[in-house]
Amino acid sequence: MHAEASSIIIWAAVAVTIAGLLFRPLRIPEYVWAVAAALLLPLTGSLPVATFVGAVVEGQDVYLFLVGMMLLAELARREGVFDWLALYAVQHAAGSGRRLFDLVFLVGTVVTILLSNDATAVVLTPAVYAACRVAGVTPLPYLFVCAFIANAASFVLPISNPANLVVFGAHMPPLLEWLKQFGPPSLAAIAATYAVLRVLYRREIAQPISVSPAQQPLSRGGQLAAAGVVFTGTVLVVTSALNGRLGLMTFCAGLLSVAVVALAQRRSPLPLLRHVSWSVLPLVAGLFVLVEAVAQTGVIQQAADALETLARSSTSQAGWVAGVAAALLSNVANNLPVGLAAGSVAQAVDLPAQVRAALLVGVDLGPNLSVTGSLATLLWLVALRREGEHVGALDFLRVGILVMPPALIGALLLL
């Protein structure tokens, strides 16, 4: 096929996928659009079959990471760990809405760091909603905490966001190097996010807690699930420090945690497996193929060359351009494909560590601007709708336009 015709088909496939991710026409699941668009490319001859297969295989560590984290998050949800954490926050707020806000922010930060941003958005959100209803407070400010901290704390550790694995791929920095590079920017992003939300919702959280429910002890299964979370976090921190494969270790730790709880309770793990969002895997695989196809058009190489040229004259300026561009593009095309493209840009040329880090910060923090920015935020919206709450795109943007820029600027300044 002629190169120009191939490029047209590739960009059409990308446009269809982005539209499917953002608007879900006919309520067709997001993964269907990504997989259909990806399959179209080898069928039309726009992408060689070998390249298609190679792109799918390239994401194996990300798939393993996602499966491990989804297993662990679903196990913790089923065994009531998140409900227990939310009620713990209400109980220890001692009647103060402000203290409850602080505790929910703290819990959301810890869950994001150890279980990834998707767990905070998807699993912690319903628990916080239920706890707020029991406590008799307006839930929306606390629910927004779940949405924004899910992205703001998502680069504290490599395991805090699947996008981190996508951007760095096989070039993931060792843990100590990661903490040195991303520790201060992460603290800046978290602090800025907290400060803006605290001021923005100061009146709502001044409302006292009318009911303080009794804290129920965590069940035996919940204790084992919580132990599995701690065990997995420890294993992954050690693996990261040894520069090992995070995806494989996450998968093994998640599977082991599920097996231990199933054996202790003497019941089948199959019901748990049925509740895992398996559709995320073909979605990510389709995105890997589409980004590889875009790379075939030469656009990614052009962007990489331009960034490398800018970095030669000013590393700081290149970092700002990379971070802001990645942040804004994440809200146009969702941060999963943008993260894949950013990873390709970083691998195409020899970029300074600061510029590569700025790309990651933009991919992780950018989605806090709009509801379409990240998969975690889209899943957060779904969780809200299940509870009867509705947050429109404009409602989120009004908050996001205040929250995201200070966090992004603070993080990029400290890189």
Side-chain angles (χ1 to χ4, degrees):
M1 180 178 287
H2 193 274
E4 186 175 341
S6 294
S7 294
I8 291 172
I9 293 174
I10 288 169
W11 286 112
V14 170
V16 167
T17 302
I18 291 173
L21 286 174
L22 300 185
F23 305 113
R24 290 191 69 196
L26 305 177
R27 295 187 178 180
I28 297 174
E30 291 89 344
Y31 78 92
V32 174
W33 297 98
V35 171
L39 289 173
L40 176 69
L41 301 179
L43 290 175
T44 58
S46 303
L47 191 70
V49 174
T51 305
F52 174 91
V53 173
V56 173
V57 172
E58 183 185 351
Q60 58 184 315
D61 206 47
V62 177
Y63 311 146
L64 290 171
F65 177 85
L66 288 170
V67 171
M69 280 301 180
M70 288 190 296
L71 287 173
L72 205 56
E74 179 58 27
L75 178 66
R77 184 204 65 79
R78 190 190 69 175
E79 299 302 330
V81 175
F82 291 100
D83 292 329
W84 186 87
L85 285 171
L87 283 175
Y88 179 90
V90 174
Q91 183 70 26
H92 287 75
S96 169
R98 295 187 185 92
R99 194 173 291 115
L100 176 61
F101 180 92
D102 294 345
L103 287 169
V104 169
F105 194 94
L106 177 62
V107 169
T109 301
V110 173
V111 170
T112 298
I113 292 171
L114 295 180
L115 278 179
S116 86
N117 59 341
D118 289 342
T120 299
V122 178
V123 192
L124 184 61
T125 298
V128 168
Y129 177 84
C132 287
R133 282 303 188 198
V134 171
V137 297
T138 304
L140 209 52
Y142 308 95
L143 296 175
F144 268 117
V145 167
C146 295
F148 286 108
I149 194 57
N151 292 318
S154 67
F155 55 102
V156 175
L157 293 177
I159 62 174
S160 304
N161 192 338
N164 299 338
L165 276 70
V166 166
V167 172
F168 280 99
H171 306 283
M172 182 68 69
L175 181 61
L176 291 180
E177 184 181 326
W178 180 283
L179 292 173
K180 182 180 178 181
Q181 187 169 49
F182 291 108
S186 292
L187 291 176
I190 293 169
T193 301
Y194 170 80
V196 173
L197 289 175
R198 193 71 150 72
V199 172
L200 188 62
Y201 290 110
R202 61 190 181 281
R203 293 187 181 89
E204 289 86 345
I205 64 176
Q207 176 186 358
I209 296 174
S210 58
V211 178
S212 186
Q215 178 73 53
Q216 298 296 321
L218 197 57
S219 67
R220 176 62 177 163
Q223 292 173 11
L224 289 173
V229 171
V230 174
F231 169 74
T232 302
T234 303
V235 167
L236 294 184
V237 167
V238 173
T239 302
S240 182
L242 298 175
N243 204 23
R245 290 186 60 191
L246 288 173
L248 180 61
M249 295 307 296
T250 306
F251 174 78
C252 292
L255 204 60
L256 179 61
S257 299
V258 170
V260 168
V261 173
L263 288 172
Q265 297 178 336
R266 296 182 180 178
R267 63 175 178 175
S268 171
L270 292 180
L272 181 145
L273 298 178
R274 284 197 290 268
H275 285 89
V276 172
S277 300
W278 297 109
S279 61
V280 171
L281 300 179
L283 169 64
V284 174
L287 293 175
F288 266 104
V289 172
L290 290 170
V291 170
E292 180 59 36
V294 169
Q296 301 289 314
T297 68
V299 169
I300 288 179
Q301 186 63 52
Q302 291 170 12
D305 291 339
L307 202 54
E308 185 183 36
T309 300
L310 181 59
R312 286 199 196 102
S313 59
S314 173
T315 301
S316 176
Q317 187 177 354
W320 280 96
V321 169
V324 172
L328 295 178
L329 284 173
S330 292
N331 293 281
V332 175
N334 190 270
N335 75 333
L336 265 179
V338 172
L340 287 166
S344 298
V345 166
Q347 293 169 29
V349 292
D350 186 22
L351 291 177
Q354 181 182 342
V355 179
R356 188 188 288 258
L359 283 170
L360 179 108
V361 169
V363 167
D364 282 4
L365 275 181
N368 268 349
L369 182 63
S370 71
V371 293
T372 57
S374 74
L375 179 62
T377 308
L378 292 171
L379 294 173
W380 175 80
L381 283 176
V382 172
L384 289 195
R385 292 189 194 112
R386 287 175 181 163
E387 305 298 339
E389 290 283 343
H390 177 75
V391 175
L394 191 57
D395 298 325
F396 193 94
L397 181 62
R398 288 194 188 102
V399 181
I401 205 166
L402 298 174
V403 173
M404 192 277 278
L408 180 66
I409 292 169
L412 292 177
L413 278 172
L414 291 181
L415 275 178

